[in-house]
Amino acid sequence: MQKILVVLLILSSVVFSQKDDLKNLFELNQEIALNNLNEETLSFSHQLIGTELPGKKNAGLAILYSFLLPGMGELYAESYSSGMHYTIADAALWGTFTGFNLYGAWKKDNYMSFAESRGGVNLYNKDEEYYANISIYQSIEDFNKAQELQRNYNGVYNLNTHYWDWKNSDTRREYREMWSSSEQAYNNVRFVVGALVLNRVISAINAVRLVSRYNKNLSSQNDVSFFIGYSSKPNMPSHYTVNFITNF
């Protein structure tokens, strides 16, 4: 009986020692796994690159703005310091355009009234060619004779509807000066219109150049990135790291 008790005691001690060994082995494996996990850096990152930079400019819009109003294309390209000269020039040209139109119209009213009162002209339904012809010929008879000599019979005027007679050369020359002044003013208007178009073309070319430079500078502006990380290592306190990267 005593021998059986001894055997049972020995067996129980072995079993409990094996359980303790198994428990210690399991805990050791957990500790090793935890240590291995802690030795690795647990990090997460987020990268922000250039989200605050404005978008690129459109060359087509710059051209459209420049044709609507010279200088606006440069303003769109954020370089109005060079575009304001085209705006000022456009304003001056429009002022000149208005001035020549008003002067030409005033002179036209004058020569038409003069032709009616001093030359016996009927102003109804007369074209620009008629007012030019009466500035050259003394009367309708002289004009019609010249057309017949040139065999331009279709160009002969009707005496009842297109009559004029200046009576003397001084009166005709006075009329011609008024007519010439009006025609010169309207010719100047045509030059101003050409200058308005040219100003827009030059402004559009300049705006496209500035948009190209703006987009080129935009692509070379600073790119900003930042990273946020978390680290935990054995025998060292856990910590966070924040890194900024700027590319020029």
Side-chain angles (χ1 to χ4, degrees):
M1 186 64 180
Q2 186 177 2
K3 290 182 179 181
I4 294 174
L5 292 174
V6 171
V7 171
L8 290 175
L9 288 172
I10 293 172
L11 289 175
S12 62
S13 63
V14 170
V15 172
F16 282 114
S17 64
Q18 287 180 347
K19 287 184 178 180
D20 291 338
D21 291 340
L22 289 174
K23 180 180 179 182
N24 292 335
L25 181 60
F26 179 73
E27 292 178 350
L28 180 61
N29 287 335
Q30 282 188 327
E31 184 177 354
I32 291 172
L34 182 60
N35 289 336
N36 289 335
L37 184 61
N38 288 336
E39 286 177 358
E40 297 179 358
T41 301
L42 304 177
S43 63
F44 61 93
S45 64
H46 176 72
Q47 185 177 14
L48 177 65
I49 303 178
T51 56
E52 296 300 325
L53 297 178
K56 288 186 176 182
K57 303 294 184 179
N58 188 297
L61 284 177
I63 294 173
L64 177 62
Y65 292 150
S66 293
F67 272 96
L68 290 175
L69 178 62
M72 294 305 294
E74 287 82 355
L75 180 62
Y76 171 70
E78 299 186 11
S79 185
Y80 188 62
S81 57
S82 63
M84 65 179 179
H85 304 294
Y86 299 105
T87 305
I88 294 172
D90 193 67
L93 288 170
W94 277 113
T96 305
F97 174 87
T98 303
F100 279 134
N101 264 309
L102 292 175
Y103 182 77
W106 173 58
K107 282 294 184 179
K108 184 175 183 178
D109 288 341
N110 284 347
Y111 76 65
M112 290 176 66
S113 297
F114 187 87
E116 184 180 29
S117 62
R118 302 290 295 275
V121 172
N122 180 1
L123 301 179
Y124 176 74
N125 199 26
K126 300 300 186 298
D127 56 20
E128 296 298 326
E129 185 180 3
Y130 174 81
Y131 289 111
N133 288 332
I134 67 176
S135 71
I136 300 172
Y137 295 92
Q138 189 70 28
S139 66
I140 189 172
E141 287 83 1
D142 293 340
F143 175 82
N144 284 343
K145 287 178 182 179
Q147 300 306 307
E148 290 170 355
L149 289 174
Q150 297 172 13
R151 296 185 178 182
N152 182 23
Y153 300 109
N154 292 330
V156 173
Y157 283 142
N158 186 295
L159 290 173
N160 295 323
T161 59
H162 288 73
Y163 174 85
W164 82 89
D165 187 356
W166 293 117
K167 306 300 182 182
N168 57 70
S169 297
D170 291 338
T171 304
R172 182 188 62 79
R173 282 195 293 268
E174 187 176 354
Y175 166 83
R176 183 171 179 81
E177 288 177 359
M178 289 185 287
W179 175 83
S180 296
S181 296
S182 177
E183 287 299 302
Q184 185 61 49
Y186 285 127
N187 286 335
N188 290 338
V189 168
R190 298 184 185 96
F191 284 112
V192 174
V193 170
L196 285 167
V197 174
L198 182 61
N199 189 45
R200 281 160 169 72
V201 171
I202 296 174
S203 176
I205 294 173
N206 186 50
V208 170
R209 180 182 63 85
L210 292 173
V211 165
S212 177
R213 186 174 69 182
Y214 177 89
N215 290 337
K216 184 177 179 181
N217 291 338
L218 182 66
S219 63
S220 63
Q221 285 182 3
N222 296 350
D223 289 337
V224 180
S225 306
F226 71 87
F227 298 87
I228 303 175
Y230 167 78
S231 277
S232 177
K233 294 184 178 181
N235 303 323
M236 293 182 64
S238 301
H239 62 280
Y240 291 91
T241 59
V242 179
N243 296 322
F244 286 90
I245 298 177
T246 303
N247 298 321
F248 293 93

